[in-house]
């Protein structure tokens, strides 16, 4: 089959983008002719997959997305099956990586302000045409509550939803080499055997709750605090986080890493992975951490919070309470040997690598 995957922009550190690439690679391995329609591609181009660039001239983000849709739409008929990874109506499939925009935005900004925002009107229109009851697009969801949320606003029929299993790269799996790799990375990070390492990874540090992690670090009991270091990686401005750490006297214990290609090794080195997001449709980092055998704490706002709970991790319930978070992190760090043993045991009994295969299975049914 000729397959088109539509993504506005690819960069190798986004969860949505990595999912798209895994689907593309899986389809190509099965012998399909795969084309990615995009405006920009950061990083190495994949083998066996055609990347076609769509030129756009708009300035604002919502205008860019509108122009992208307008230029992609006429191309869809050239392919046997199409899948959009951003809100692009008219494709056979839509990968719902984000929360329901119609429900989320009024909660964050108020209904009146949303009505005045061109950005809101544009994205709401695109989402509405995808989820309209009479539309044809099938919806790939990645956490159970998404279906309920979308249906509560759009009344989309049940049969159009397909819940995909979690999907990560197999490189994150804990295996017989992991213990040696853990020690090597900890030496590279200059961590002593008694040091404790907390790790957060993601784009947009404030939305991902990295500041909440800094506050939890500052609240640790004296002896544990002395031995604990907080590393965070991702494409985001670290300055506000550094200033916050300076304000609370823990600047020497935080380590901004920038964007990294060695997240699997960082997870092996870590004693605790945290994703304390204010808003998170799923949280791919959580599944990567669980598969790596790293203890995990997440906010209840993360779509994958139920997976964290099933893996004996910690979930800070919503509405988020910083004191509850502080206590939970201190507890995990004081019991780290037990927590890590439980995490490694769980990692050996789960498979979080099936998402791309499940998506391609659905496309082959068309």
């Amino acid at each position: 089959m000729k397959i088109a995957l539509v993504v506005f922009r690819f960069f190798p550190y986004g969860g949505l983008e990595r999912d798209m690439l895994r689907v593309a690679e899986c389809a190509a391995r099965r012998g399909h002719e795969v084309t990615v329609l995009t405006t920009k591609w950061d990083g190495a181009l994949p083998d066996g997959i055609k990347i076609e660039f769509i030129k756009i001239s708009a300035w604002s983000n919502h205008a860019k997305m509108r122009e992208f849709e307008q230029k992609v739409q006429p191309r869809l008929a050239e392919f046997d099956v199409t899948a959009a990874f951003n809100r692009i109506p008219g494709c056979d499939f839509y990968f719902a990586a984000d929360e329901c925009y119609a429900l989320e935005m009024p909660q964050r900004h108020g209904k009146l302000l949303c009505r005045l925002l061109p950005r809101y009107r544009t994205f709401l229109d695109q989402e509405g045409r995808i989820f309209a009851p009479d539309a044809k697009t099938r919806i790939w969801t990645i956490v159970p509550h998404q279906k309920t949320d979308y249906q509560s606003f759009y009344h989309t029929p049940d049969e159009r939803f397909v819940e995909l299993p979690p999907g990560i790269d197999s490189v994150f799996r804990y295996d017989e080499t992991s213990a040696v790799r853990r020690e090597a990375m900890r030496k590279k990070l200059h961590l002593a055997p008694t040091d404790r390492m907390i790790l957060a990874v993601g784009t947009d540090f404030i939305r991902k709750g990295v500041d909440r992690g800094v506050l939890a670090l500052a609240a640790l009991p004296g002896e544990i605090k002395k031995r604990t270091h907080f590393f965070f990686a991702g494409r985001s401005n670290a300055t506000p986080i550094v200033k916050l750490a300076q304000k609370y006297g823990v600047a020497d214990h935080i380590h901004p890493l920038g964007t990294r290609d060695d997240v699997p090794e960082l997870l092996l080195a870590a004693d605790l992975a945290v994703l304390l997001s204010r808003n998170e449709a799923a949280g791919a980092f959580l599944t990567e951490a669980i598969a790596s055998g790293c203890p995990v704490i997440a906010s209840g706002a993360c779509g994958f919070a139920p997976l964290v709970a099933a893996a004996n991790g910690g979930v800070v319930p919503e509405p988020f309470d910083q004191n509850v978070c502080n206590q939970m992190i201190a507890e995990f760090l004081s019991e780290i040997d037990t927590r890590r043993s439980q995490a490694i045991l769980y990692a050996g009994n789960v498979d979080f690598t099936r998402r791309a295969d499940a998506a391609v299975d659905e496309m082959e049914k068309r």
Side-chain angles (χ1 to χ4, degrees), residues 94-239:
Y94 168 64
F95 183 89
D98 297 316
E99 298 284 4
C100 177
Y101 199 73
L103 295 179
E104 173 199 346
M105 286 297 290
Q107 293 175 5
R108 293 168 58 187
H109 299 289
K111 293 182 179 180
L112 178 60
L113 179 59
C114 282
R115 291 194 192 102
L116 301 175
L117 294 174
R119 177 176 182 268
Y120 175 74
R121 295 198 301 270
T122 297
F123 293 154
L124 183 64
D125 170 67
Q126 291 176 320
E127 182 177 271
R129 284 183 285 135
I130 293 171
F131 287 91
D134 58 349
K136 304 300 182 184
T137 300
R138 299 199 71 192
I139 315 301
W140 288 332
T141 59
I142 52 180
V143 289
H145 75 80
Q146 287 180 299
K147 178 182 175 182
T148 303
D149 288 350
Y150 282 115
Q151 286 185 320
S152 71
F153 195 90
Y154 294 108
H155 310 291
T156 313
D158 285 344
E159 59 269 19
R160 285 178 47 207
F161 287 90
V162 178
E163 185 176 344
L164 297 180
I168 62 170
D169 194 303
S170 60
V171 71
F172 287 97
R173 284 178 171 171
Y174 190 90
D175 61 24
E176 65 277 1
T177 70
S178 296
V180 174
R181 290 159 55 203
R182 169 179 166 83
E183 293 308 314
M185 177 53 78
R186 287 179 67 87
K187 287 182 180 178
K188 188 180 294 187
L189 297 173
H190 306 292
L191 292 170
T194 57
D195 287 341
R196 296 290 175 254
M197 174 183 171
I198 302 174
L199 176 67
V201 176
T203 302
D204 188 349
F205 292 149
I206 299 300
R207 184 172 69 83
K208 298 290 184 178
V210 174
D211 57 320
R212 293 170 167 178
V214 171
L215 294 177
L217 172 67
L220 286 173
E223 189 57 37
I224 296 179
K225 185 193 298 187
K226 290 178 183 178
R227 297 186 286 114
T228 300
H229 295 266
F230 184 21
F231 293 78
F232 50 96
R235 177 181 289 184
S236 187
N237 180 13
T239 301

Side-chain angles (χ1 to χ4, degrees), residues 244-314:
L244 183 67
Q246 291 171 340
K247 177 180 177 180
Y248 283 90
V250 291
D252 292 341
H253 290 258
I254 69 160
H255 308 275
L257 298 172
T259 54
R260 301 283 293 221
D261 295 319
D262 57 352
V263 173
E265 308 305 310
L266 290 171
L267 275 169
L268 289 178
D271 297 294
L272 179 64
V274 297
L275 189 62
L276 306 171
S277 299
R278 291 170 167 83
N279 183 324
E280 192 75 51
F285 175 62
L286 297 173
T287 56
E288 293 167 350
I290 292 169
S292 300
C294 183
V296 178
I297 291 177
S299 66
C302 296
F304 281 153
L307 290 178
V308 172
N312 301 308

